[in-house]
Amino acid sequence: MLIGEVAQRSGVSARMLRHYESLGLLQPTGRTGSGYREYTDEDIRRIFHIESLRSLGLSLREAGRALDDPAFAPTRLVTDLIDQTRDRIAVQTDLLTRLTRINAAEPSDWEDVLHTVALLQALGSPSARARQRAALSAAAKDTPLPPEALAEAILTESDPVVAGALRWALAHSGGPAPALLAHGLASPSPEVRQRAVQSLAELPDDTSTALLRTALPHPDPVVRAHAALALGARGVADAVPALVDLIVEGRNDTDAADALSALATDPAATDAIATALVDRLAQGTPAPTARRRLAQALADIPGGTASDALAELSQDEDRAVALTATYVLRLRESTGERTAPTGERTAPPTRRPRQPPAPETHPPSG
């Protein structure tokens, strides 16, 4: 079979077949009397094998070595090809992301393009000061950055000052800030999840409140805690069960009790909060330390339900719990809070000041 027919059958041009020959990949089995190359069916099979290996990403020389080495084991080569392909995809994905963000910034000329590139590079700088300057520049109307870039920077930023500047820039970007940050709640990284919920907690709009509600049943206890505390501060009664859980578990319990106290200033919520605390006392007899924290939390909840529960706790078998409840009852009496019908408030209760614990965080990975 002559080279023209082989090229037609294989889809490999005559020029490329001659190139294969020059590399030693393929040698025609013979030549005609006129000196034309002549190929056999076996030669054509080798051409198809070469093309198949090239389609996997092998170079021509690598394909030749693979075909000519009887001891060739494809597993390692294929594994290397997988790694190389992933690296190329990562590089191309990063390039695509940068191009998309530059396009989203709607540059009017090449100067705008270069300025946007400089800001994006500064956001990834090892210098916290450079990252902060980039965030502040991005908030300026004449040098905007896409909100997607700012949200990603927030979720990866470890410096609290820079993170604050980034959140400010994102809030002024006009983009869907809460929705972009909420993506971080599903991250496999606990640090990213924590940054996401903390950032949502600092956005006071209705969308962030709705997203924080969805985080209340989150499997990450730190996410749940931040969401519950933020919602409690916003007067969202849905946070009450999660806040009670924090008190029982002893995680951010002082902040949780303060949030319940703030919620209890609404008479419509007072009885529900007191009932939630009392119900936890009745569930499986919590440990003495948990009962003591629940007694302290009841101190700021007005009405008869809380007073009755404290009276019962003042007879607790654990001396520390009983003393705490007795002390709280005396404080309530001294400020005019009596055992009144459920939901009736006679005077605001007072409790001893608490020193809030440091906010709970995830330990840094690695």
Side-chain angles (χ1 to χ4, degrees):
M1 192 180 303
L2 299 181
I3 192 169
E5 187 179 356
V6 172
Q8 186 175 7
R9 286 188 58 182
S10 66
V12 180
S13 68
R15 182 178 179 181
M16 183 59 73
L17 290 172
R18 294 189 186 98
H19 182 54
Y20 285 0
E21 186 177 342
S22 69
L23 294 176
L25 279 173
L26 178 69
Q27 295 296 332
T29 300
R31 289 185 178 266
T32 66
S34 303
Y36 293 107
R37 295 173 177 82
E38 197 168 37
Y39 298 86
T40 65
D41 289 343
E42 186 62 31
D43 295 332
I44 294 175
R45 276 195 294 272
R46 183 174 175 87
I47 293 170
F48 282 121
H49 290 163
I50 293 170
E51 290 302 302
S52 295
L53 292 175
R54 285 188 66 196
S55 72
L56 296 178
L58 271 69
S59 68
L60 288 174
R61 296 189 184 279
E62 289 171 333
R65 286 197 296 270
L67 292 173
D68 295 335
D69 182 3
F72 172 72
T75 304
R76 181 172 180 179
L77 178 59
V78 171
T79 300
D80 289 343
L81 288 172
I82 290 172
D83 292 339
Q84 293 168 18
T85 303
R86 284 175 175 158
D87 290 342
R88 287 197 301 272
I89 290 173
V91 171
Q92 293 301 312
T93 300
D94 180 64
L95 175 60
L96 177 61
T97 299
R98 279 184 283 139
L99 290 172
T100 302
R101 288 173 178 171
I102 291 170
N103 187 56
E106 299 180 349
S108 58
D109 52 34
W110 282 110
E111 185 176 347
D112 284 352
V113 171
L114 295 175
H115 190 70
T116 302
V117 170
L119 283 178
L120 290 171
Q121 291 174 336
L123 285 180
S125 169
S127 166
R129 181 172 295 182
R131 298 196 302 275
Q132 183 181 13
R133 283 199 302 267
L136 296 175
S137 297
K141 294 185 182 299
D142 57 337
T143 56
L145 274 181
E148 293 82 3
L150 294 169
E152 180 179 327
I154 289 170
L155 295 177
T156 57
E157 182 56 62
S158 59
D159 187 296
V161 176
V162 179
L166 287 166
R167 284 193 289 267
W168 183 71
L170 180 60
H172 288 77
S173 69
L180 292 171
L181 293 169
H183 290 307
L185 296 176
S187 170
S189 166
E191 291 86 0
V192 171
R193 295 195 298 268
Q194 181 176 329
R195 292 176 193 131
V197 70
Q198 286 176 324
S199 298
L200 286 171
E202 295 196 17
L203 296 176
D205 55 82
D206 292 340
T207 303
S208 63
T209 299
L211 290 168
L212 287 168
R213 286 177 190 263
T214 67
L216 286 174
H218 198 283
D220 185 335
V222 173
V223 171
R224 290 199 305 271
H226 281 289
L229 292 171
L231 290 169
R234 298 181 189 196
V236 178
D238 290 353
V240 169
L243 291 170
V244 174
D245 286 342
L246 291 177
I247 293 170
V248 172
E249 295 162 8
R251 295 184 297 107
N252 300 105
D253 53 290
T254 300
D255 294 337
D258 289 341
L260 289 177
S261 174
L263 286 169
T265 59
D266 178 4
T270 300
D271 190 55
I273 294 171
T275 300
L277 290 166
V278 171
D279 286 348
R280 289 308 299 267
L281 283 167
Q283 289 177 9
T285 312
T289 52
R291 297 201 300 277
R292 188 163 65 249
R293 289 191 295 269
L294 288 167
Q296 291 173 327
L298 284 164
D300 278 354
I301 311 302
T305 301
S307 294
D308 290 345
L310 286 166
E312 184 174 343
L313 285 170
S314 68
Q315 305 300 317
D316 195 275
E317 61 184 19
D318 184 88
R319 179 172 172 78
V321 174
L323 289 174
T324 299
T326 300
Y327 174 66
V328 170
L329 279 171
R330 288 174 181 169
L331 283 177
R332 290 166 71 90
E333 291 170 359
S334 68
T335 55
E337 177 76 16
R338 69 176 190 273
T339 302
T342 299
E344 178 183 334
R345 182 173 184 166
T346 59
T350 302
R351 69 178 176 194
R352 59 185 175 185
R354 293 194 186 97
Q355 192 66 28
E360 181 176 345
T361 59
H362 285 289
S365 59

